[in-house]
Amino acid sequence: MTTTTRRPKIQRRTTLPRRQTWKALQTHYKSMQSMHLRTLFTEDPQRGGRMTMEAVGVLLDYSKNRITDETIRLLVELAEESGLREGIEAMFRGEKINVTENRAVLHVALRAPREASITVDGENVVPKVHAVLDQMAGFAHRVRSGEWKGHTGKRIKNLVNIGIGGSDLGPVMAYEALKYYSERTMTFRFVSNVDGTDFAEAVRDLQADETLFIVSSKTFTTLETMTNANTARAWSIAGLGGDAASVAKHFVAVSTNAAEVAKFGIDTANMFPFWDWVGGRYSMFSAIGLSTMLAIGSEHFRAMLNGAHQIDEHFRTAPLADNLPALMGLLTVWYVDFFDAETVAVLPYEQYLKRFPAYLQQLTMESNGKHVTVDGREVSYDTSPVYWGEPGTNGQHSFYQLIHQGTRLIPSDFIAFHQSLNPLGRHHELLLANVFAQTEALAFGKTAEEVKNEGTPNWLVPHRTFEGNRPSNTIMADRLTPEVLGKLIALYEHSVFTQGVIWNIDSFDQWGVELGKVLAQRIIPELESKEEPPLPHDSSTNNLILRQRARGRSKT
Ligand code: F6P
């Protein structure tokens, strides 16, 4: 993480709660607070169609939100007043909108077509992006075709990506999401946790002579990744007869830090670079996606980039009222800041998207979990909600009870596809019937009267009544392809961007993860030292350290 000593020039904006439109939204909220979706749908029989938008093959039905046309008008006005348009332009122009790290934010350049031009500090970065994509494609082809041989001349059959956070969550999510398109003769594993179990289980059935490691780390200094990489190197060398020269055939690196890669012992000829204007959680379309490309091949990878690019263009050019990611971001602001919603559920009805909510957690919460504005003032409104979720229909038999009848308002995104990649009998119709049924039940519920009319005894009526009025979005596309996955990711990235602009926060730094890292570095020697160390912590932390020293294995 870099820092600059000079404070950059930051345009001071009127504090959000003082803005005219914010006040208008507060007044408008009072009229919406108790307005039921049943009434909104009864009053406007065309609402479902009217509040559905489609762009570049992605459909967003936002009609089951607690909004009217006036809400949308005000939210769009808020976006204009907050400088969303200018913010988008600034990002695409390569301005250093990550002010606290003095960096441009250009994940959109990663999926720009070859002929595009996007400049950072006067340099067009698009040719560099495509040079690395070509390097990745060449390497992926050599490994997948068997041309790239291991140290003993064997074909590489296993690929292990070592990384954490943005260097893991995107790759593992994309691998799972696109498994249908993956090279099934190869095994793909992902190691992230510094808990040794993660590495041990990942390699327990693998042979070192058939295994290639990708060490993925933007900084190449992250404790977890470097610990796992060192363990992997020892495991690999031991499995290859102790010959350290084998590293050249069994390790490649993805990083922005060539010096650290070389120091680790990986030839920089086997390094795939990216740049400081790619944030960790926005990096899966960069060389960090090497494992994805190895799994699905370069054509599918490029299709994924193309999908993301289509949404980028839509976000950049569509009027805000017809702009899918802008609208999704604004609806989140509406629920978080006016309805006091604390969380958003993301519910993919597609088993291949099982890691999508986990991926979104970093994207959303590391981006917008901030309590000060870009110019360092404490915010007086809530910022990022907690994002969470699980694939449906599994979640229905677990936590949906709370979404339907709990005391909290949980706006939910339902994600589904018209066609299944594995059309088995009636499975897909049953799956989709559940998507539509859930959003219907959440919105309209079941009144006490309806419950009574079914002959329910009076004492049971409150338990069986569904209040309804629980908002949801339904996001649909034809089928889960690499291109569609690219679109979905870009959709959420730009929704997060929209939220960040409204809240006037830096969505691209992550200072909040630093303190724990620093304290862990201090505690490591206190756990490992042979001599009893002086312990300067609070009494709880001191006791825990002492107990671990007495009972753990680390002092040997
Ligand atoms: O600790 C948070 C973080 O910095 C994330 O932002 C990042 O994605 C992750 O760690 C991994 O960092 P790196 O790719 O540098 O190893």
Side-chain angles (χ1 to χ4, degrees), residues 164-167 217-220 222 225 280-281 362 366 510 513 517:
I164 197 163
S167 301
S217 174
K218 182 173 172 180
T219 55
F220 230 72
T222 305
T225 301
R281 52 194 174 274
Q362 186 197 16
E366 198 169 67
Q510 56 283 312
V513 301
K517 287 186 191 173

mmCIF file of all heavy atoms in Angstrom, residues 164-167 217-220 222 225 280-281 362 366 510 513 517, ligand 1:
data_model
loop_
_atom_site.group_PDB
_atom_site.id
_atom_site.type_symbol
_atom_site.label_atom_id
_atom_site.label_comp_id
_atom_site.label_asym_id
_atom_site.label_seq_id
_atom_site.Cartn_x
_atom_site.Cartn_y
_atom_site.Cartn_z
ATOM 1 N N ILE A 164 -4.650 -14.373 -1.845
ATOM 2 C CA ILE A 164 -5.712 -14.120 -0.855
ATOM 3 C C ILE A 164 -6.424 -12.826 -1.215
ATOM 4 O O ILE A 164 -5.883 -11.998 -1.969
ATOM 5 C CB ILE A 164 -5.130 -14.104 0.584
ATOM 6 C CG1 ILE A 164 -6.244 -14.259 1.631
ATOM 7 C CG2 ILE A 164 -4.311 -12.828 0.853
ATOM 8 C CD1 ILE A 164 -5.757 -14.656 3.022
ATOM 9 N N GLY A 165 -7.619 -12.635 -0.677
ATOM 10 C CA GLY A 165 -8.398 -11.418 -0.986
ATOM 11 C C GLY A 165 -8.647 -11.356 -2.483
ATOM 12 O O GLY A 165 -9.035 -12.346 -3.110
ATOM 13 N N GLY A 166 -8.356 -10.220 -3.073
ATOM 14 C CA GLY A 166 -8.597 -10.045 -4.503
ATOM 15 C C GLY A 166 -7.764 -10.978 -5.367
ATOM 16 O O GLY A 166 -8.090 -11.204 -6.531
ATOM 17 N N SER A 167 -6.702 -11.524 -4.820
ATOM 18 C CA SER A 167 -5.860 -12.437 -5.597
ATOM 19 C C SER A 167 -6.333 -13.882 -5.449
ATOM 20 O O SER A 167 -5.654 -14.816 -5.897
ATOM 21 C CB SER A 167 -4.402 -12.298 -5.141
ATOM 22 O OG SER A 167 -3.992 -10.966 -5.322
ATOM 23 N N SER A 217 -0.099 -12.286 -6.198
ATOM 24 C CA SER A 217 -0.133 -11.255 -5.154
ATOM 25 C C SER A 217 0.271 -9.928 -5.764
ATOM 26 O O SER A 217 1.364 -9.813 -6.323
ATOM 27 C CB SER A 217 0.827 -11.625 -4.015
ATOM 28 O OG SER A 217 0.896 -10.571 -3.088
ATOM 29 N N LYS A 218 -0.601 -8.965 -5.625
ATOM 30 C CA LYS A 218 -0.295 -7.642 -6.177
ATOM 31 C C LYS A 218 1.021 -7.127 -5.590
ATOM 32 O O LYS A 218 1.914 -6.700 -6.291
ATOM 33 C CB LYS A 218 -1.456 -6.702 -5.873
ATOM 34 C CG LYS A 218 -1.272 -5.310 -6.430
ATOM 35 C CD LYS A 218 -2.536 -4.484 -6.234
ATOM 36 C CE LYS A 218 -2.249 -3.037 -6.613
ATOM 37 N NZ LYS A 218 -3.414 -2.174 -6.446
ATOM 38 N N THR A 219 1.132 -7.217 -4.269
ATOM 39 C CA THR A 219 2.307 -6.660 -3.585
ATOM 40 C C THR A 219 3.457 -7.659 -3.470
ATOM 41 O O THR A 219 4.599 -7.282 -3.329
ATOM 42 C CB THR A 219 1.913 -6.257 -2.154
ATOM 43 O OG1 THR A 219 1.333 -7.413 -1.522
ATOM 44 C CG2 THR A 219 0.924 -5.118 -2.147
ATOM 45 N N PHE A 220 3.145 -8.926 -3.502
ATOM 46 C CA PHE A 220 4.094 -10.017 -3.268
ATOM 47 C C PHE A 220 4.759 -9.908 -1.896
ATOM 48 O O PHE A 220 5.899 -10.326 -1.692
ATOM 49 C CB PHE A 220 5.170 -10.077 -4.374
ATOM 50 C CG PHE A 220 5.317 -11.471 -4.933
ATOM 51 C CD1 PHE A 220 4.340 -12.006 -5.748
ATOM 52 C CD2 PHE A 220 6.410 -12.265 -4.638
ATOM 53 C CE1 PHE A 220 4.436 -13.295 -6.269
ATOM 54 C CE2 PHE A 220 6.528 -13.557 -5.145
ATOM 55 C CZ PHE A 220 5.544 -14.064 -5.962
ATOM 56 N N THR A 222 2.311 -10.143 0.936
ATOM 57 C CA THR A 222 1.218 -10.499 1.842
ATOM 58 C C THR A 222 1.582 -11.754 2.648
ATOM 59 O O THR A 222 1.985 -12.776 2.072
ATOM 60 C CB THR A 222 -0.082 -10.717 1.027
ATOM 61 O OG1 THR A 222 -0.309 -9.538 0.273
ATOM 62 C CG2 THR A 222 -1.273 -10.994 1.910
ATOM 63 N N THR A 225 0.031 -15.214 1.675
ATOM 64 C CA THR A 225 0.450 -15.712 0.360
ATOM 65 C C THR A 225 1.920 -16.106 0.369
ATOM 66 O O THR A 225 2.295 -17.156 -0.165
ATOM 67 C CB THR A 225 0.159 -14.640 -0.714
ATOM 68 O OG1 THR A 225 -1.237 -14.381 -0.679
ATOM 69 C CG2 THR A 225 0.569 -15.100 -2.101
ATOM 70 N N GLY A 280 -6.800 -4.540 -5.887
ATOM 71 C CA GLY A 280 -6.829 -5.981 -5.632
ATOM 72 C C GLY A 280 -8.196 -6.593 -5.904
ATOM 73 O O GLY A 280 -8.327 -7.602 -6.602
ATOM 74 N N ARG A 281 -9.239 -5.962 -5.367
ATOM 75 C CA ARG A 281 -10.584 -6.556 -5.501
ATOM 76 C C ARG A 281 -11.190 -6.305 -6.886
ATOM 77 O O ARG A 281 -12.308 -6.727 -7.163
ATOM 78 C CB ARG A 281 -11.499 -6.039 -4.392
ATOM 79 C CG ARG A 281 -11.538 -4.529 -4.253
ATOM 80 C CD ARG A 281 -12.190 -4.109 -2.940
ATOM 81 N NE ARG A 281 -12.125 -2.673 -2.707
ATOM 82 C CZ ARG A 281 -11.109 -2.051 -2.141
ATOM 83 N NH1 ARG A 281 -10.051 -2.739 -1.769
ATOM 84 N NH2 ARG A 281 -11.128 -0.748 -1.943
ATOM 85 N N GLN A 362 -15.975 -8.946 -0.599
ATOM 86 C CA GLN A 362 -14.784 -8.097 -0.645
ATOM 87 C C GLN A 362 -15.033 -6.881 -1.536
ATOM 88 O O GLN A 362 -14.703 -5.752 -1.172
ATOM 89 C CB GLN A 362 -13.554 -8.868 -1.159
ATOM 90 C CG GLN A 362 -12.294 -7.997 -1.050
ATOM 91 C CD GLN A 362 -11.110 -8.474 -1.885
ATOM 92 O OE1 GLN A 362 -11.258 -9.277 -2.780
ATOM 93 N NE2 GLN A 362 -9.934 -7.950 -1.584
ATOM 94 N N GLU A 366 -15.029 -4.071 1.245
ATOM 95 C CA GLU A 366 -13.697 -3.463 1.316
ATOM 96 C C GLU A 366 -13.720 -2.127 0.574
ATOM 97 O O GLU A 366 -12.972 -1.213 0.894
ATOM 98 C CB GLU A 366 -12.635 -4.408 0.716
ATOM 99 C CG GLU A 366 -11.222 -4.041 1.148
ATOM 100 C CD GLU A 366 -10.177 -5.092 0.801
ATOM 101 O OE1 GLU A 366 -9.927 -5.286 -0.410
ATOM 102 O OE2 GLU A 366 -9.602 -5.719 1.707
ATOM 103 N N GLN A 510 -8.131 0.747 1.337
ATOM 104 C CA GLN A 510 -8.549 -0.272 2.321
ATOM 105 C C GLN A 510 -7.678 -0.172 3.568
ATOM 106 O O GLN A 510 -7.108 -1.145 4.016
ATOM 107 C CB GLN A 510 -8.527 -1.694 1.728
ATOM 108 C CG GLN A 510 -7.189 -2.169 1.120
ATOM 109 C CD GLN A 510 -6.927 -1.576 -0.217
ATOM 110 O OE1 GLN A 510 -7.800 -1.581 -1.084
ATOM 111 N NE2 GLN A 510 -5.740 -1.016 -0.408
ATOM 112 N N VAL A 513 -7.675 -2.546 6.885
ATOM 113 C CA VAL A 513 -7.128 -3.893 7.068
ATOM 114 C C VAL A 513 -5.713 -3.835 7.653
ATOM 115 O O VAL A 513 -5.128 -4.871 7.974
ATOM 116 C CB VAL A 513 -7.102 -4.697 5.739
ATOM 117 C CG1 VAL A 513 -8.501 -4.817 5.158
ATOM 118 C CG2 VAL A 513 -6.178 -4.051 4.712
ATOM 119 N N LYS A 517 -2.926 -6.334 10.603
ATOM 120 C CA LYS A 517 -1.694 -6.886 10.010
ATOM 121 C C LYS A 517 -0.487 -6.477 10.846
ATOM 122 O O LYS A 517 0.395 -7.293 11.128
ATOM 123 C CB LYS A 517 -1.497 -6.339 8.589
ATOM 124 C CG LYS A 517 -2.433 -6.902 7.546
ATOM 125 C CD LYS A 517 -2.015 -6.377 6.167
ATOM 126 C CE LYS A 517 -3.050 -6.682 5.114
ATOM 127 N NZ LYS A 517 -2.774 -6.066 3.818
HETATM 128 O O1 F6P B 1 -5.560 -7.129 3.116
HETATM 129 C C1 F6P B 1 -6.360 -6.679 2.104
HETATM 130 C C2 F6P B 1 -5.670 -6.781 0.773
HETATM 131 O O2 F6P B 1 -4.767 -5.767 0.610
HETATM 132 C C3 F6P B 1 -6.702 -6.790 -0.347
HETATM 133 O O3 F6P B 1 -7.099 -5.528 -0.718
HETATM 134 C C4 F6P B 1 -6.002 -7.557 -1.402
HETATM 135 O O4 F6P B 1 -6.892 -8.020 -2.368
HETATM 136 C C5 F6P B 1 -5.384 -8.654 -0.578
HETATM 137 O O5 F6P B 1 -4.992 -8.023 0.621
HETATM 138 C C6 F6P B 1 -4.228 -9.374 -1.196
HETATM 139 O O6 F6P B 1 -3.175 -8.529 -1.504
HETATM 140 P P1 F6P B 1 -2.025 -8.971 -2.484
HETATM 141 O O7 F6P B 1 -2.608 -9.268 -3.802
HETATM 142 O O8 F6P B 1 -1.067 -7.822 -2.514
HETATM 143 O O9 F6P B 1 -1.357 -10.212 -1.892
#
